[in-house]
Amino acid sequence: MTVSDKTLARLKQAAGPRGYLDDPEAIAPYCTPFRDGWVGETPLVLRPDTTEMVAALVRICAETGTPIVPQGGNTGMTGGGLPHPGGDEVILSTGRLNRIRGIDPLNDTITAEAGVVLADIRSAAEGVDRLFPLLLGAQGSCQIGGNLSTNAGGINVVRYGNVRSMVLGLEVVTGDGEVWDGLRALRKDNAGYDLKHIFIGAEGTLGIITAAVLRLVARPRERQTALVEVADPQAAVELLARLRGAMGDVVSAFELMHRNCFTLATRTLGHADPMPGQRPWRVLLDLTGQQPPGALREPLEEVLADALEAGLVSDAIVAASGAQADALWRIREDQAEVQRQAGKGIKHDISVPVSLVPDFIARADAAMERAYPGHVVCTFGHLGDGNIHYNPIEPPGWEQARWVAETGPINRIVHDIVADLGGSITAEHGVGRLRLAELVHYKSAVEIDLMRRLKRAFDPANILNPGKVLPAQGG
Ligand code: FAD
Ligand code: 2HG
Ligand code: ZN
């Protein structure tokens, strides 16, 4: 069933001439994912520029039973921001809700609308000598509303937590088209249920986030970056413990990367591999703090020298300049694009306790090699958070279609090990359309039922991104 002409006309009227797109060519980018081949169809992209307009549009959709797919920067990795095929859903893009409503450096907060691009929030914070610590490869296009709705992680979680821990208040349009003004800039507030946390990570299924009050932190003065070749993932975990033991809370990024990630970055994007070693595992790390510039270098080198002696580390490059540090990080930040070009990675976004990551990798690699000898290991991720992107690529000579057909069995191999280790099938990317079946497979009936009850309470008309996170009702 497509959206009726009458409903489309009402929505266009409420959005005003600049507030919608209905030309298929203009709509196409909103229906095309960064990666992964999701197909999306819609007759209309709504582009409201005020919260009141969002509310008015949602009210029409609730009245007419028209499903709405909220969309930010469309960089999500699970198809959550794309409509289903068939053309019976409208997209509500937050791109024009892009004002920074205020910055309070003495309260360390910034209030931004949902459509502000993450990099712009970071720049605004820098403008008042503060840091907004959320950092991911998509920072130039993802929007804060999308970040909040996926509870985004990225490379600084090890120090600052995921975006949930950076939020003080939210403004949300509910499934009934009411505005909940929860834009409080308070660090302590126990007056009733903490509703903001219901909407964070809900992937647009419980409400449309229109603005947020975000916490800022001190802007670090000192930064040291190192690429370290480690004996194995266990050695990497031990290195993290040694760094924290010696220096405290200065580790702001701690990423594990298989050497193949560097080889593929060389082959696809022309990066130079900065390290000659052929050992499989490397760590890319950042230490930051308020110390005077250079102060963390010597303690870092000492920890690395001790780790070398203990056999945990076999080589290390400590960046000699900001430019060298940035070049190292570019190889890491480009991984999503590298892997888009390199083959067909079957993507996983798992988490286990940090101490069990080596166990996870050893078991998953052994099981995968038994089942698919010669497949290309392409494992990397946020080791400091126990979050690994386990993205095996097809063995040489395999047709991509043959590899893609193995997605189900490969998911079962990987996710069964994750479940056995008490982990999660998605640490930061969310469920969207990609992981619906896996979620239902691994969550208890009690948890799925609680989620369904929440969905019914917050979205009684079932118009907010139906069929994402939870299977469509009855499914
Ligand atoms: P979209 O893709 O537009 O939407 C994502 C979900 O949120 C959808 O379900 C959508 O319906 C919903 N949504 C969007 N806006 C709203 C709103 N205002 N209200 C309610 N629901 C809404 N993710 C990480 O966590 N860590 C990483 O390190 C990381 N690195 C990445 C690197 C690259 C190169 C790319 C392309 C992606 C990466 N991602 C990463 C994934 C992605 O960038 C994040 O999920 C990001 O938070 C999505 O933001 P977006 O604005 O693009 O949201
Ligand atoms: C990252 O950490 C992103 O770079 C993308 O979360 C992960 O490409 C992926 O699977
Ligand atoms: Zn990631």
Side-chain angles (χ1 to χ4, degrees):
M1 190 194 77
T2 52
V3 187
S4 74
D5 287 345
K6 197 169 156 207
T7 302
L8 290 176
R10 277 183 75 187
L11 289 168
K12 288 178 192 176
Q13 166 84 25
R18 297 189 57 228
Y20 69 86
L21 303 169
D22 61 355
D23 167 22
E25 218 171 286
I27 286 178
Y30 295 82
C31 290
T32 312
F34 161 75
R35 192 169 75 176
D36 300 326
W38 299 106
V39 180
E41 279 181 279
T42 186
L44 187 64
V45 175
L46 297 164
R47 300 183 72 241
D49 65 350
T50 64
T51 300
E52 293 66 37
M53 195 187 286
V54 174
L57 294 169
V58 172
R59 281 197 296 274
I60 296 172
C61 288
E63 224 179 281
T64 56
T66 308
I68 308 172
V69 181
Q71 190 182 97
N74 192 16
T75 67
M77 297 212 148
T78 63
L82 293 166
H84 294 94
D88 60 356
E89 300 173 318
V90 296
I91 292 177
L92 189 145
S93 162
T94 50
R96 290 209 306 149
L97 280 171
N98 58 0
R99 283 166 289 260
I100 290 181
R101 293 191 189 165
I103 303 191
D104 181 348
L106 293 183
N107 195 40
D108 280 327
T109 49
I110 181 167
T111 304
E113 293 184 347
V116 180
V117 170
L118 173 57
D120 294 339
I121 295 190
R122 288 175 56 88
S123 304
E126 254 181 62
V128 292
D129 199 26
R130 298 289 186 275
L131 173 73
F132 181 61
L134 181 67
L135 182 55
L136 31 129
Q139 63 160 324
S141 30
C142 63
Q143 300 173 5
I144 192 66
N147 299 144
L148 293 166
S149 300
T150 55
N151 187 24
I155 60 172
N156 287 162
V157 175
V158 66
R159 169 82 167 272
Y160 298 105
N162 44 28
V163 76
R164 183 185 296 282
S165 60
M166 302 169 198
V167 183
L168 297 184
L170 285 186
E171 179 186 85
V172 176
V173 171
T174 70
D176 300 318
E178 283 177 327
V179 179
W180 171 53
D181 180 359
L183 272 188
R184 301 175 194 120
L186 305 175
R187 278 175 177 67
K188 299 181 86 172
D189 179 7
N190 281 351
Y193 301 135
D194 200 341
L195 291 178
K196 62 179 178 290
H197 288 300
I198 304 281
F199 298 105
I200 297 169
E203 301 182 47
T205 62
L206 300 179
I208 299 179
I209 297 173
T210 47
V213 181
L214 305 163
R215 282 177 52 217
L216 304 177
V217 298
R219 194 150 76 95
R221 313 279 170 223
E222 158 65 338
R223 173 189 182 204
Q224 296 293 333
T225 299
L227 179 66
V228 184
E229 187 184 65
V230 289
D232 51 26
Q234 181 65 33
V237 171
E238 287 178 27
L239 177 63
L240 174 60
R242 282 173 177 238
L243 285 166
R244 283 187 170 141
M247 281 180 270
D249 199 14
V250 295
V251 181
S252 53
F254 197 86
E255 300 280 312
L256 184 70
M257 294 174 77
H258 192 277
R259 193 178 54 84
N260 287 351
C261 299
F262 289 83
T263 315
L264 294 174
T266 309
R267 194 183 332 136
T268 54
L269 297 185
H271 283 289
D273 186 345
M275 214 166 227
Q278 295 304 300
R279 288 192 168 199
W281 295 105
R282 298 170 181 181
V283 164
L284 182 57
L285 64 89
D286 259 1
L287 307 183
T288 57
Q290 302 315 114
Q291 297 81 353
L296 292 173
R297 191 178 182 92
E298 213 176 287
L300 168 62
E301 285 173 347
E302 265 171 38
V303 173
L304 290 175
D306 288 350
L308 193 80
E309 205 154 293
L312 300 175
V313 163
S314 41
D315 194 8
I317 298 168
V318 180
S321 64
Q324 193 183 3
D326 291 347
L328 291 173
W329 274 107
R330 258 196 304 280
I331 301 175
R332 169 62 188 88
E333 283 171 0
D334 280 350
Q335 279 306 308
E337 176 61 23
V338 166
Q339 301 202 12
R340 190 167 74 93
Q341 295 187 21
K344 183 65 200 136
I346 307 292
K347 294 196 313 303
H348 302 92
D349 167 41
I350 67 94
S351 62
V352 295
V354 175
S355 52
L356 296 184
V357 169
D359 208 3
F360 163 73
I361 291 177
R363 287 173 62 180
D365 281 355
M368 281 297 293
E369 191 50 36
R370 266 195 309 276
Y372 304 101
H375 75 276
V376 181
V377 172
C378 199
T379 300
F380 66 101
H382 319 286
L383 175 59
D385 321 323
N387 173 197
I388 297 298
H389 300 305
Y390 191 85
N391 299 351
I393 293 178
E394 69 270 15
W398 276 48
E399 293 282 328
Q400 284 197 358
R402 182 179 163 206
W403 185 239
V404 172
E406 295 299 316
T407 301
I410 292 175
N411 283 344
R412 195 58 61 246
I413 290 174
V414 174
H415 289 159
D416 275 357
I417 297 168
V418 169
D420 193 45
L421 295 173
S424 170
I425 60 156
T426 174
E428 61 174 11
H429 296 162
V431 178
R433 281 159 75 175
L434 179 66
R435 298 200 173 90
L436 272 181
E438 292 299 280
L439 188 88
V440 174
H441 184 84
Y442 288 101
K443 289 257 189 221
S444 70
V446 173
E447 201 164 339
I448 294 288
D449 182 51
L450 286 171
M451 287 173 62
R452 280 200 188 284
R453 284 200 250 168
L454 209 54
K455 172 75 175 162
R456 279 197 291 273
F458 279 80
D459 179 24
N462 192 33
I463 54 158
L464 294 177
N465 223 358
K468 313 285 172 55
V469 182
L470 282 167
Q473 273 174 0

